[in-house]
Short mmCIF file of all heavy atoms in Angstrom, two decimals:
data_model
loop_
_atom_site.label_atom_id
_atom_site.label_comp_id
_atom_site.label_asym_id
_atom_site.label_seq_id
_atom_site.Cartn_x
_atom_site.Cartn_y
_atom_site.Cartn_z
N ASP A 251 -17.80 99.69 141.49
CA ASP A 251 -18.52 99.45 142.74
C ASP A 251 -18.22 98.08 143.36
O ASP A 251 -19.05 97.58 144.22
CB ASP A 251 -20.00 99.56 142.57
CG ASP A 251 -20.47 101.04 142.61
OD1 ASP A 251 -19.62 101.90 142.89
OD2 ASP A 251 -21.59 101.37 142.32
N ASP A 252 -17.13 97.41 143.08
CA ASP A 252 -16.78 96.05 143.71
C ASP A 252 -16.42 96.22 145.19
O ASP A 252 -16.68 95.50 146.08
CB ASP A 252 -15.80 95.36 142.98
CG ASP A 252 -16.42 94.74 141.73
OD1 ASP A 252 -17.30 94.07 141.83
OD2 ASP A 252 -15.75 94.91 140.59
N TYR A 253 -15.48 97.30 145.42
CA TYR A 253 -14.89 97.61 146.72
C TYR A 253 -14.16 96.35 147.30
O TYR A 253 -14.27 96.15 148.49
CB TYR A 253 -15.98 98.11 147.60
CG TYR A 253 -16.44 99.39 147.04
CD1 TYR A 253 -17.72 99.45 146.42
CD2 TYR A 253 -15.63 100.54 146.98
CE1 TYR A 253 -18.08 100.71 145.87
CE2 TYR A 253 -16.03 101.67 146.26
CZ TYR A 253 -17.27 101.82 145.85
OH TYR A 253 -17.73 103.00 145.21
N GLN A 254 -13.49 95.70 146.31
CA GLN A 254 -12.59 94.64 146.83
C GLN A 254 -11.19 95.19 146.83
O GLN A 254 -11.04 96.26 146.48
CB GLN A 254 -12.58 93.45 145.80
CG GLN A 254 -13.95 92.70 145.71
CD GLN A 254 -14.34 91.92 147.09
OE1 GLN A 254 -13.40 91.65 147.79
NE2 GLN A 254 -15.60 91.66 147.21
N LEU A 255 -10.21 94.38 147.39
CA LEU A 255 -8.82 95.05 147.47
C LEU A 255 -8.04 94.35 146.34
O LEU A 255 -7.95 93.16 146.21
CB LEU A 255 -8.18 94.72 148.91
CG LEU A 255 -8.93 95.37 150.05
CD1 LEU A 255 -8.27 94.99 151.43
CD2 LEU A 255 -8.96 96.84 149.94
N LEU A 256 -7.18 95.28 145.76
CA LEU A 256 -6.28 94.93 144.79
C LEU A 256 -4.89 95.05 145.26
O LEU A 256 -4.58 96.30 145.80
CB LEU A 256 -6.45 95.74 143.45
CG LEU A 256 -5.54 95.50 142.32
CD1 LEU A 256 -5.72 93.99 141.60
CD2 LEU A 256 -5.65 96.64 141.26
N PHE A 257 -4.06 94.19 145.35
CA PHE A 257 -2.76 94.33 146.12
C PHE A 257 -1.59 93.58 145.36
O PHE A 257 -1.87 92.63 144.70
CB PHE A 257 -2.75 93.94 147.52
CG PHE A 257 -3.21 92.55 147.88
CD1 PHE A 257 -2.44 91.73 148.17
CD2 PHE A 257 -4.61 92.26 148.07
CE1 PHE A 257 -2.76 90.39 148.50
CE2 PHE A 257 -5.00 91.08 148.32
CZ PHE A 257 -4.10 90.00 148.51
N ALA A 258 -0.42 94.17 145.49
CA ALA A 258 0.74 93.54 145.02
C ALA A 258 1.76 93.17 146.05
O ALA A 258 1.85 93.86 147.07
CB ALA A 258 1.51 94.67 144.11
N ALA A 259 2.29 91.91 146.00
CA ALA A 259 3.18 91.42 146.99
C ALA A 259 4.21 90.50 146.39
O ALA A 259 3.94 89.88 145.50
CB ALA A 259 2.38 90.64 148.11
N ASP A 260 5.30 90.37 147.14
CA ASP A 260 6.35 89.47 146.72
C ASP A 260 5.84 88.05 146.71
O ASP A 260 5.03 87.64 147.57
CB ASP A 260 7.60 89.54 147.71
CG ASP A 260 8.73 88.83 147.17
OD1 ASP A 260 8.86 87.59 147.43
OD2 ASP A 260 9.63 89.47 146.54
N PRO A 261 6.29 87.20 145.80
CA PRO A 261 5.68 85.82 145.79
C PRO A 261 5.95 85.14 147.01
O PRO A 261 5.23 84.21 147.38
CB PRO A 261 6.37 85.23 144.53
CG PRO A 261 6.77 86.40 143.66
CD PRO A 261 6.96 87.48 144.58
N SER A 262 7.05 85.48 147.77
CA SER A 262 7.35 84.84 148.95
C SER A 262 6.33 84.98 150.08
O SER A 262 6.26 84.32 151.11
CB SER A 262 8.78 85.34 149.61
OG SER A 262 8.70 86.53 149.81
N ALA A 263 5.39 86.05 149.91
CA ALA A 263 4.43 86.36 150.93
C ALA A 263 3.08 85.56 150.66
O ALA A 263 2.25 85.67 151.45
CB ALA A 263 4.07 87.88 150.89
N ALA A 264 3.08 84.66 149.61
CA ALA A 264 1.83 84.00 149.10
C ALA A 264 1.27 83.18 150.26
O ALA A 264 -0.01 83.07 150.50
CB ALA A 264 1.97 83.21 147.90
N VAL A 265 2.13 82.39 151.02
CA VAL A 265 1.67 81.58 152.09
C VAL A 265 1.10 82.31 153.17
O VAL A 265 -0.07 82.02 153.68
CB VAL A 265 2.82 80.63 152.58
CG1 VAL A 265 2.37 79.86 153.73
CG2 VAL A 265 3.33 79.66 151.58
N ALA A 266 1.66 83.32 153.58
CA ALA A 266 1.17 84.26 154.65
C ALA A 266 -0.18 84.74 154.31
O ALA A 266 -1.16 85.01 155.08
CB ALA A 266 2.17 85.28 155.02
N ILE A 267 -0.27 85.28 152.96
CA ILE A 267 -1.53 85.87 152.53
C ILE A 267 -2.63 84.90 152.46
O ILE A 267 -3.77 85.13 152.96
CB ILE A 267 -1.24 86.49 151.20
CG1 ILE A 267 -0.36 87.75 151.14
CG2 ILE A 267 -2.55 86.76 150.46
CD1 ILE A 267 0.28 88.15 149.71
N ARG A 268 -2.39 83.65 152.03
CA ARG A 268 -3.45 82.63 152.04
C ARG A 268 -3.80 82.27 153.44
O ARG A 268 -4.96 81.96 153.73
CB ARG A 268 -2.90 81.49 151.31
CG ARG A 268 -2.76 81.61 149.83
CD ARG A 268 -2.52 80.34 149.04
NE ARG A 268 -2.19 80.70 147.64
CZ ARG A 268 -3.21 80.79 146.66
NH1 ARG A 268 -4.42 80.83 146.96
NH2 ARG A 268 -2.86 80.95 145.47
N GLU A 269 -2.92 82.24 154.47
CA GLU A 269 -3.14 81.90 155.76
C GLU A 269 -4.05 82.84 156.42
O GLU A 269 -5.01 82.62 157.16
CB GLU A 269 -1.92 81.63 156.54
CG GLU A 269 -1.18 80.36 156.31
CD GLU A 269 0.12 80.25 157.06
OE1 GLU A 269 0.47 81.25 157.76
OE2 GLU A 269 0.77 79.11 156.91
N ILE A 270 -3.82 84.20 156.15
CA ILE A 270 -4.54 85.31 156.72
C ILE A 270 -6.00 85.17 156.08
O ILE A 270 -6.93 85.35 156.86
CB ILE A 270 -3.93 86.66 156.36
CG1 ILE A 270 -2.67 86.84 157.11
CG2 ILE A 270 -4.95 87.82 156.61
CD1 ILE A 270 -1.87 87.99 156.72
N ALA A 271 -6.10 85.07 154.85
CA ALA A 271 -7.38 84.86 154.13
C ALA A 271 -8.14 83.76 154.72
O ALA A 271 -9.40 83.93 154.96
CB ALA A 271 -7.09 84.80 152.74
N ALA A 272 -7.46 82.75 154.84
CA ALA A 272 -8.21 81.40 155.36
C ALA A 272 -8.76 81.75 156.78
O ALA A 272 -9.87 81.38 157.15
CB ALA A 272 -7.35 80.27 155.30
N GLY A 273 -7.92 82.34 157.59
CA GLY A 273 -8.42 82.58 159.00
C GLY A 273 -9.52 83.59 159.16
O GLY A 273 -10.31 83.52 160.08
N LEU A 274 -9.60 84.35 158.12
CA LEU A 274 -10.65 85.53 158.10
C LEU A 274 -11.84 85.18 157.17
O LEU A 274 -12.79 85.87 157.00
CB LEU A 274 -10.15 86.79 157.69
CG LEU A 274 -9.08 87.36 158.57
CD1 LEU A 274 -8.57 88.60 158.00
CD2 LEU A 274 -9.74 87.75 160.02
N ASN A 275 -11.70 83.86 156.56
CA ASN A 275 -12.79 83.34 155.62
C ASN A 275 -12.96 84.46 154.48
O ASN A 275 -14.12 84.71 154.03
CB ASN A 275 -14.12 83.16 156.35
CG ASN A 275 -15.05 82.33 155.57
OD1 ASN A 275 -14.65 81.48 154.68
ND2 ASN A 275 -16.40 82.51 155.72
N VAL A 276 -11.80 84.97 153.90
CA VAL A 276 -12.01 85.82 152.73
C VAL A 276 -11.19 85.12 151.56
O VAL A 276 -10.07 84.63 151.67
CB VAL A 276 -11.14 87.12 153.11
CG1 VAL A 276 -11.02 88.06 151.90
CG2 VAL A 276 -11.75 87.91 154.25
N ALA A 277 -11.96 85.09 150.51
CA ALA A 277 -11.32 84.64 149.20
C ALA A 277 -10.23 85.56 148.60
O ALA A 277 -10.43 86.77 148.62
CB ALA A 277 -12.46 84.37 148.24
N VAL A 278 -9.04 85.03 148.29
CA VAL A 278 -8.13 85.78 147.62
C VAL A 278 -7.69 84.97 146.45
O VAL A 278 -7.55 83.70 146.41
CB VAL A 278 -6.99 86.10 148.60
CG1 VAL A 278 -7.28 87.01 149.65
CG2 VAL A 278 -6.32 84.76 149.12
N THR A 279 -7.36 85.65 145.29
CA THR A 279 -7.06 85.05 144.05
C THR A 279 -5.82 85.87 143.47
O THR A 279 -5.92 87.11 143.23
CB THR A 279 -8.11 85.10 143.05
OG1 THR A 279 -9.26 84.46 143.79
CG2 THR A 279 -7.72 84.26 141.85
N PRO A 280 -4.71 85.17 143.12
CA PRO A 280 -3.71 85.72 142.36
C PRO A 280 -4.08 85.84 140.84
O PRO A 280 -4.52 84.79 140.34
CB PRO A 280 -2.41 84.77 142.51
CG PRO A 280 -3.06 83.39 142.79
CD PRO A 280 -4.38 83.76 143.50
N ILE A 281 -4.18 87.08 140.33
CA ILE A 281 -4.65 87.24 138.98
C ILE A 281 -3.58 87.74 138.01
O ILE A 281 -3.96 88.09 136.73
CB ILE A 281 -5.93 88.13 138.97
CG1 ILE A 281 -5.44 89.55 139.51
CG2 ILE A 281 -7.05 87.46 139.72
CD1 ILE A 281 -6.60 90.50 139.51
N GLY A 282 -2.36 88.02 138.36
CA GLY A 282 -1.41 88.58 137.48
C GLY A 282 0.07 88.80 138.22
O GLY A 282 0.25 88.43 139.28
N HIS A 283 0.95 89.62 137.50
CA HIS A 283 2.14 89.93 137.92
C HIS A 283 2.55 91.33 137.43
O HIS A 283 2.11 91.73 136.48
CB HIS A 283 3.20 88.80 137.34
CG HIS A 283 3.07 87.50 137.79
ND1 HIS A 283 2.19 86.57 137.27
CD2 HIS A 283 3.64 86.79 138.90
CE1 HIS A 283 2.24 85.43 138.01
NE2 HIS A 283 3.27 85.56 138.92
N ALA A 284 3.42 91.86 138.20
CA ALA A 284 3.91 93.14 137.83
C ALA A 284 5.33 92.82 137.07
O ALA A 284 6.00 91.92 137.38
CB ALA A 284 4.22 93.88 139.16
N GLY A 285 5.52 93.75 136.06
CA GLY A 285 6.81 93.51 135.25
C GLY A 285 7.34 94.85 134.90
O GLY A 285 6.85 95.92 135.25
N VAL A 286 8.47 94.79 134.22
CA VAL A 286 9.00 96.15 133.71
C VAL A 286 8.30 96.63 132.57
O VAL A 286 7.76 95.81 131.67
CB VAL A 286 10.52 95.80 133.24
CG1 VAL A 286 11.14 97.09 132.59
CG2 VAL A 286 11.37 95.23 134.31
#
Side-chain angles (χ1 to χ4, degrees):
D251 281 350
D252 284 308
Y253 301 105
Q254 297 294 339
L255 295 181
L256 176 72
F257 56 97
D260 190 275
S262 64
V265 172
I267 290 168
R268 291 190 186 278
E269 288 178 349
I270 291 168
L274 296 173
N275 197 28
V276 173
V278 291
T279 307
I281 57 173
H283 293 84
V286 176

